[in-house]
Amino acid sequence: DGGITQSPKYLFRKEGQNVTLSCEQNLNHDAMYWYRQDPGQGLRLIYYSQIVNDFQKGDIAEGYSVSREKKESFPLTVTSAQKNPTAFYLCASKREGGLAGNQPQHFGDGTRLSIL
Amino acid sequence: GQNIDQPTEMTATEGAIVQINCTYQTSGFNGLFWYQQHAGEAPTFLSYNVLDGLEEKGRFSSFLSRSKGYSYLLLKELQMKDSASYLCAVPWNYGQNFVFGPGTRLSVLP
């Protein structure tokens, strides 16, 4: 079955440490996204990528970095510069082409990141 | 800019009907999505509206008025499993990304 896999499900970060969240999809989708969700709030866009080897900053990119070396993979690194990383992180993908705006996003199950 | 507003919380009784509203301001409209998100889980797609009117899908229906910048999600015959957050989202930047509302947390009581 096609889908999006995020790992790990839970992650703990020590002060000054960089951590990387994995996101893999086998839906053959071109576009991939990273969102952050804080308790009681909606999703805020961190980074997105429309195509391999290209990505764009979202609304809250500071303290985060991404890469898109393969179509299937879009890992997110939470750097030590992100001072408040505790949140639920969601990865999504979407089919492009045609009327791209009318395609829904498909989400992974999320990674919950906490500070030790 | 883009802005989406939804009520924060709603409560309804099992078997009843509930309407969850969403108002939006966006430059260039390209449809509106509704997602359901159970606590600690991924959002799942419910509906998409791009033309005015009501789209029905079983117990769930979604309505859009583009002139008013307004949409609602109608849930009928509520079940306990419908307790979740409901997010509305609009694509922008030619559909390249999305703006999400804050979500409405619905509690269904027995």
Side-chain angles (χ1 to χ4, degrees):
Chain A
D1 286 341
I4 301 179
T5 302
Q6 288 187 244
S7 62
K9 192 171 179 65
Y10 298 96
L11 186 59
F12 297 92
R13 193 191 88 169
K14 295 179 182 178
E15 197 169 329
Q17 185 183 42
N18 293 352
V19 292
T20 298
L21 284 60
S22 170
C23 179
E24 303 277 332
Q25 55 99 358
N26 61 3
L27 298 166
N28 200 32
H29 286 171
D30 287 304
M32 296 187 75
Y33 307 79
W34 274 105
Y35 293 94
R36 170 181 172 140
Q37 188 174 35
D38 293 282
Q41 296 190 29
L43 278 61
R44 292 187 290 168
L45 182 65
I46 305 173
Y47 269 98
Y48 66 101
S49 168
Q50 298 292 310
I51 196 170
V52 174
N53 292 324
D54 186 54
F55 47 83
Q56 308 295 328
K57 291 182 179 180
D59 300 320
I60 55 166
E62 187 174 348
Y64 300 96
S65 66
V66 293
S67 62
R68 187 86 188 275
E69 297 176 3
K70 298 186 300 182
K71 187 176 184 177
E72 301 79 18
S73 179
F74 191 40
L76 173 74
T77 296
V78 184
T79 74
S80 57
Q82 174 49 248
K83 298 305 178 188
N84 184 24
T86 298
F88 188 48
Y89 290 86
L90 285 160
C91 179
S93 70
K94 182 171 81 73
R95 187 162 66 87
E96 291 297 304
L99 292 172
N102 66 359
Q103 298 300 319
Q105 293 181 312
H106 298 255
F107 288 86
D109 288 334
T111 292
R112 194 165 296 280
L113 176 63
S114 303
I115 300 178
L116 280 178
Chain B
Q2 331 296 320
N3 188 53
I4 301 179
D5 199 23
Q6 301 179 240
T8 305
E9 293 192 33
M10 298 184 72
T11 303
T13 306
E14 196 174 12
I17 299 173
V18 71
Q19 177 175 312
I20 301 174
N21 296 327
C22 171
T23 57
Y24 63 89
Q25 295 100 40
T26 182
S27 52
F29 181 75
N30 197 16
L32 184 143
F33 292 85
W34 283 97
Y35 291 86
Q36 180 191 59
Q37 185 182 25
H38 287 99
E41 298 183 10
T44 55
F45 168 70
L46 288 178
S47 68
Y48 171 73
N49 295 69
V50 67
L51 299 176
D52 289 350
L54 189 68
E55 296 273 346
E56 297 190 65
K57 267 189 187 180
R59 293 191 301 115
F60 291 8
S61 303
S62 55
F63 172 84
L64 177 69
S65 169
R66 289 173 294 173
S67 62
K68 295 181 180 177
Y70 167 68
S71 174
Y72 67 72
L73 183 69
L74 194 69
L75 290 73
K76 303 175 188 174
E77 301 168 17
L78 280 172
Q79 303 175 8
M80 300 298 289
K81 67 178 182 180
D82 297 329
S83 292
S85 288
Y86 292 86
L87 312 174
C88 68
V90 292
W92 68 284
N93 194 17
Y94 305 101
Q96 288 189 41
N97 45 34
F98 295 78
V99 175
F100 282 81
T104 298
R105 188 166 64 190
L106 174 66
S107 299
V108 179
L109 305 177

